[in-house]
């Protein structure tokens, strides 16, 4: 059973084909993808295949991806997930993307906090990692404020539009 998580303002829920237009809107936006290391999505069919991939990833316990929904409005404002999930090694990496109109309102902080709790409490992770473009100041600040520790810089680690970018690698370890 796919877990639905809730915060004061957000519902993190499984994505469905009905969410494909919103996901396409998010992941075809150059501003959203500026620091994401992904080419823009171009079609609803492509998005539906990705949503199916997310579903298989969860079934196979390799990752979990939620749609971030505003409770008050019922609309998707982005995605958040844990990928590279390894039960054996008790770790996963977190990633998230929000529509530009949702930036600066604390939604990412709220969603990240909830997913961290879920990862440590329900998935029994001992480490949650993150890889972030050096230039993505908002995300670097969010992770630091959430307690993540910068472990180093990976040079030319991600490419965006054929341009190499350095990234910071972060980790958050479960404390007892």
């Amino acid at each position: 059973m796919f877990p639905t998580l809730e915060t004061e303002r957000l519902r993190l829920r499984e994505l469905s084909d009905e969410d494909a237009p919103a996901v396409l809107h998010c992941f075809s936006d150059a501003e959203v993808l500026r620091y994401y290391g992904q080419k823009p999505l171009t079609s609803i069919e492509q998005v539906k295949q990705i949503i199916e991939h997310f579903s298989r990833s969860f079934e196979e316990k390799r990752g979990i991806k939620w749609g971030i929904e505003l409770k008050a409005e019922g609309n998707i404002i982005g995605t958040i997930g844990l990928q590279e999930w390894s039960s054996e090694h008790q770790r996963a990496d977190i990633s998230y993307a929000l529509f530009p109109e949702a930036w600066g309102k604390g939604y990412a902080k709220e969603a990240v906090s909830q997913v961290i709790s879920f990862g440590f409490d329900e998935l029994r992770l001992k480490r949650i990692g993150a890889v972030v473009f050096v230039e993505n100041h908002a995300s670097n600040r969010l992770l630091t404020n959430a307690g993540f520790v910068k472990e180093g810089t990976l040079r030319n680690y991600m490419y965006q539009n054929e341009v190499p970018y350095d990234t910071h690698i972060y980790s958050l370890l479960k404390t007892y």
Side-chain angles (χ1 to χ4, degrees):
M1 166 94 40
F2 192 94
T4 298
L5 309 179
E6 297 205 12
T7 69
E8 182 181 332
R9 301 178 295 167
L10 306 174
R11 180 173 296 110
L12 309 182
R13 62 165 178 80
E14 186 171 19
L15 290 163
S16 70
D17 284 351
E18 290 77 39
D19 298 313
V23 173
L24 179 61
H25 171 69
C26 185
F27 287 96
S28 62
D29 186 308
E31 276 301 294
V32 172
L33 297 178
R34 183 172 43 161
Y35 302 124
Y36 208 72
Q38 174 183 311
K39 291 182 180 176
L41 300 179
T42 57
S43 73
I44 293 290
E45 190 52 43
Q46 186 182 27
V47 174
K48 288 180 179 179
Q49 289 173 2
I50 290 169
I51 290 171
E52 175 59 31
H53 170 75
F54 292 155
S55 181
R56 276 194 317 277
S57 252
F58 177 68
E59 290 168 9
E60 296 168 4
K61 296 188 178 190
R62 293 182 291 113
I64 183 168
K65 184 72 83 171
W66 291 272
I68 303 172
E69 178 183 273
L70 285 177
K71 283 181 178 179
E73 299 171 20
N75 57 315
I76 295 285
I77 60 166
T79 65
I80 188 167
L82 294 168
Q83 59 278 339
E84 307 300 327
W85 172 16
S86 171
S87 297
E88 178 183 1
H89 299 291
Q90 301 174 322
R91 69 173 183 245
D93 291 337
I94 193 168
S95 67
Y96 42 87
L98 273 71
F99 297 3
E101 55 268 26
W103 294 352
K105 298 179 179 171
Y107 297 136
K109 177 182 178 183
E110 212 170 303
V112 164
S113 177
Q114 192 67 21
V115 169
I116 289 168
S117 294
F118 178 83
F120 288 147
D121 298 340
E122 302 301 322
L123 300 182
R124 304 202 187 290
L125 300 176
K126 302 290 188 245
R127 173 193 168 95
I128 297 175
V131 176
V132 181
F133 280 56
V134 169
E135 296 82 2
N136 190 344
H137 301 296
S139 196
N140 283 289
R141 188 172 42 254
L142 183 147
L143 292 170
T144 301
N145 289 342
F148 282 76
V149 173
K150 184 172 78 171
E151 296 181 332
T153 302
L154 303 171
R155 297 179 304 145
N156 287 353
Y157 190 72
M158 302 278 283
Y159 280 74
Q160 187 72 40
N161 300 319
E162 305 299 321
V163 176
Y165 288 88
D166 294 347
T167 62
H168 292 312
I169 186 162
Y170 290 92
S171 69
L172 180 64
L173 304 180
K174 179 174 174 118
T175 54
Y176 297 90

